[in-house]
Amino acid sequence: MLLKIHLILIVFTAGTFGSVQHNNLIIAVGDELEFLTDGNAYRTLTLNSYNATKLSSLAYDATTRKLFFSDQRHHYGHIFSVSLDNESHRPVEDIVEKNNNETVESLAYDPVNKMLLWTDGLNRAIRRVQIDNDPIHIEEKDGIEIVHFLENDAKPRGLVSDPCTRMLYWTNVHDSNPTIERSFLNGSHREIVLHSDLLLPNAFDLDIMEQMLYWAEDLHNGYFRIERSYVNGTGRQEFYRGMGSFIVSLTVGDDFVYWSDYNHKKIWCLRKDGSSRSPLSLGTFRNPALGLVVIHHQPVNCTMLSEDGQAEKSFAEKSEIITIAVCLTGTCLILMGIVAALIFRVWKSMGCQRLAFVSNKNEDDTFPFHYFDDYSNSYAMVEKATP
Ligand SMILES: *[C@@H]1O[C@H](CO)[C@@H](O)[C@H](O)[C@H]1NC(C)=O
Ligand SMILES: *[C@@H]1O[C@H](CO)[C@@H](O)[C@H](O)[C@H]1NC(C)=O
Ligand SMILES: *[C@@H]1O[C@H](CO)[C@@H](O)[C@H](O)[C@H]1NC(C)=O
Ligand SMILES: *[C@@H]1O[C@H](CO)[C@@H](O)[C@H](O)[C@H]1NC(C)=O
């Protein structure tokens, strides 16, 4: 009976705050691209007449339904694209040819100017190429422009662009002076967003609707952490701290943050609103997943992005309300548990007085713990079933 009330309360709490949904994801694992639907159904994307080697960074354009990917060990190309429109036929286009020592650490796509951008860590550059005619094939020297050529020892790594504000953000995993920086997509107005208390911000993404940057880094003591802040560097907070993982890729969906862990070859997710404490594994692979991207069905609707400040407030309010609700529900459940235990004790001691000769002290003492076990099991089950 009490258990039932708990279940109703939990379901009610979950229902009050709307349904939480997973985004579809594409994951670059070894020489394969995996498509993950609803957080549980995997299928491999077949690429026609293409021999992949080591797939890494990904970018997706919802306006043309094209996926861009880089292939680290491919003998003739750096960056390729494939249309996700047609299930049966997916020809791969070779976009940027490989002919010298350039690298591709991270890809970003700007649908407004049809521009593909990437970080070249080895040569300390952020490069771009216009993707306006179809098909496109570019030799490394022609058509490629440099957006930024960074100073000595800089190591650009993560890269994201914002089609609404026309901004570009990147991380610099410099050995002694790592930074998170931004500029306009055309390269002007470069500035440092964050420079203190950073170690190796290698996995990086932007939540466009909330105007928040997310990054993950290894803390060199067995711990890793995921942090977030508004795009101007304010409101910085630790989103999650864990142990024993090295995060290679991170992407932000509507309700969840997803990341890929090099050590355990797993994909993890955690709710953005802070309503769950521990991340959930979404699967283990044969190779570490080097790239991860959310597949949005629609291009970003920039009119839904509130004037600066508005989105920040609604986000802060939302997570505060949920935190309070979770605390209240928790307190309520604990109180009910205590009352139930007390009632049971009183009832039992009355029973024990009548049947003094069969009283069993041990059982009486351990009962509240039995009860607590039941409660936490049921809670865990419901929590797993709700997302
Ligand atoms: C892919 O590899 C197979 C076997 O090594 C080879 O026969 C085929 O020509 C390759 N295809 C392409 C497009 O490189
Ligand atoms: C890459 O190659 C170019 C020309 O081929 C050269 O100027 C540059 O120094 C090389 N960069 C590195 C990091 O080796
Ligand atoms: C770069 O882009 C920004 C924002 O779109 C614009 O205000 C600025 O004038 C541009 N600068 C140049 C040099 O084109
Ligand atoms: C974008 O959102 C606004 C406001 O919600 C809506 O009026 C408009 O139709 C949307 N545009 C598109 C292209 O969906």
Side-chain angles (χ1 to χ4, degrees):
M1 164 64 182
L2 266 168
L3 221 64
K4 243 187 219 163
I5 294 171
H6 291 155
L7 290 181
I8 289 166
L9 247 177
I10 291 162
V11 169
F12 174 77
T13 315
T16 314
F17 296 100
S19 58
V20 174
Q21 280 184 346
H22 278 287
N23 289 99
N24 293 343
L25 296 175
I26 290 196
I27 305 163
V29 190
D31 60 359
E32 280 177 347
L33 293 171
E34 296 286 340
F35 198 98
L36 173 60
T37 321
D38 302 326
N40 57 43
Y42 282 95
R43 71 191 154 85
T44 302
L45 286 183
T46 47
L47 300 174
N48 296 113
S49 60
Y50 177 75
N51 292 333
T53 63
K54 189 175 179 188
L55 303 177
S56 57
S57 46
L58 303 173
Y60 180 67
D61 175 22
T63 57
T64 57
R65 296 191 25 87
K66 250 189 190 176
L67 178 77
F68 298 95
F69 60 92
S70 71
D71 193 343
Q72 288 182 5
R73 295 198 190 126
H74 206 274
H75 57 279
Y76 63 79
H78 267 326
I79 304 173
F80 300 84
S81 79
V82 62
S83 166
L84 299 189
D85 259 339
N86 192 335
E87 281 287 321
S88 57
H89 186 62
R90 291 206 183 91
V92 173
E93 287 173 20
D94 172 17
I95 293 188
V96 177
E97 217 173 82
K98 180 181 214 159
N99 42 33
N100 60 33
N101 55 15
E102 293 180 1
T103 60
V104 177
E105 256 83 33
S106 191
L107 287 170
Y109 184 76
D110 174 39
V112 178
N113 287 338
K114 299 191 174 129
M115 198 72 87
L116 183 67
L117 302 105
W118 66 97
T119 45
D120 174 354
L122 189 66
N123 294 291
R124 317 191 307 273
I126 295 173
R127 298 175 193 275
R128 71 175 181 205
V129 69
Q130 186 98 35
I131 311 277
D132 47 7
N133 51 337
D134 216 12
I136 183 158
H137 174 80
I138 294 152
E139 304 243 347
E140 211 161 74
K141 289 190 194 79
D142 354 298
I144 296 180
E145 297 168 294
I146 288 184
V147 184
H148 291 293
F149 193 63
L150 307 176
E151 38 294 301
N152 279 345
D153 303 338
K155 287 182 191 161
R157 178 69 57 84
L159 183 73
V160 288
S161 63
D162 185 337
C164 303
T165 62
R166 316 301 302 141
M167 297 297 284
L168 183 68
Y169 301 86
W170 66 94
T171 68
N172 167 14
V173 293
H174 184 283
D175 293 334
S176 58
N177 190 19
T179 52
I180 294 177
E181 305 189 28
R182 68 175 176 183
S183 74
F184 280 118
L185 271 158
N186 59 19
S188 69
H189 290 84
R190 179 179 163 194
E191 63 176 343
I192 291 175
V193 175
L194 288 164
H195 58 86
S196 62
D197 197 21
L198 292 170
L199 280 166
L200 187 86
N202 65 320
F204 187 53
D205 201 12
L206 167 68
D207 186 334
I208 294 172
M209 283 305 159
E210 312 282 6
Q211 287 291 292
M212 283 198 113
L213 297 168
Y214 281 75
W215 66 96
E217 52 185 5
D218 186 17
L219 299 180
H220 302 319
N221 57 358
Y223 284 91
F224 67 91
R225 72 173 171 204
I226 300 173
E227 286 183 278
R228 63 182 172 192
S229 84
Y230 293 114
V231 289
N232 60 5
T234 62
R236 180 175 176 175
Q237 60 174 200
E238 188 170 281
F239 174 68
Y240 183 71
R241 180 183 289 243
M243 237 188 136
S245 294
F246 182 81
I247 302 182
V248 279
S249 184
L250 173 147
T251 188
V252 186
D254 297 326
D255 295 319
F256 289 89
V257 176
Y258 302 90
W259 67 87
S260 143
D261 157 14
Y262 194 89
N263 298 356
H264 303 103
K265 305 183 175 92
K266 279 181 193 289
I267 301 288
W268 300 90
C269 69
L270 186 61
R271 280 173 68 158
K272 267 165 38 177
D273 61 20
S275 62
S276 64
R277 285 264 154 257
S278 46
L280 203 68
S281 165
L282 295 180
T284 310
F285 302 94
R286 268 181 296 133
N287 294 294
L290 300 185
L292 202 57
V293 72
V294 165
I295 301 300
H296 287 289
H297 297 298
Q298 299 289 331
V300 180
N301 182 345
C302 292
T303 60
M304 287 170 71
L305 191 74
S306 349
E307 289 302 308
D308 36 73
Q310 203 96 51
E312 305 178 9
K313 202 170 156 212
S314 78
F315 179 75
E317 274 172 2
K318 216 163 52 189
S319 64
E320 199 167 289
I321 291 169
I322 290 171
T323 312
I324 292 170
V326 168
C327 291
L328 279 179
T329 314
T331 316
C332 201
L333 292 179
I334 290 167
L335 281 177
M336 287 169 81
I338 292 170
V339 169
L342 281 177
I343 291 173
F344 190 84
R345 263 171 188 269
V346 169
W347 173 77
K348 187 134 194 203
S349 66
M350 282 163 72
C352 288
Q353 273 168 14
R354 262 187 279 134
L355 301 165
F357 55 97
V358 289
S359 118
N360 180 339
K361 197 164 184 310
N362 254 350
E363 199 178 281
D364 192 30
D365 275 351
T366 54
F367 176 75
F369 297 100
H370 278 308
Y371 172 78
F372 206 75
D373 266 348
D374 278 355
Y375 145 70
S376 47
N377 281 342
S378 69
Y379 185 78
M381 272 163 59
V382 171
E383 201 182 39
K384 245 184 228 164
T386 18

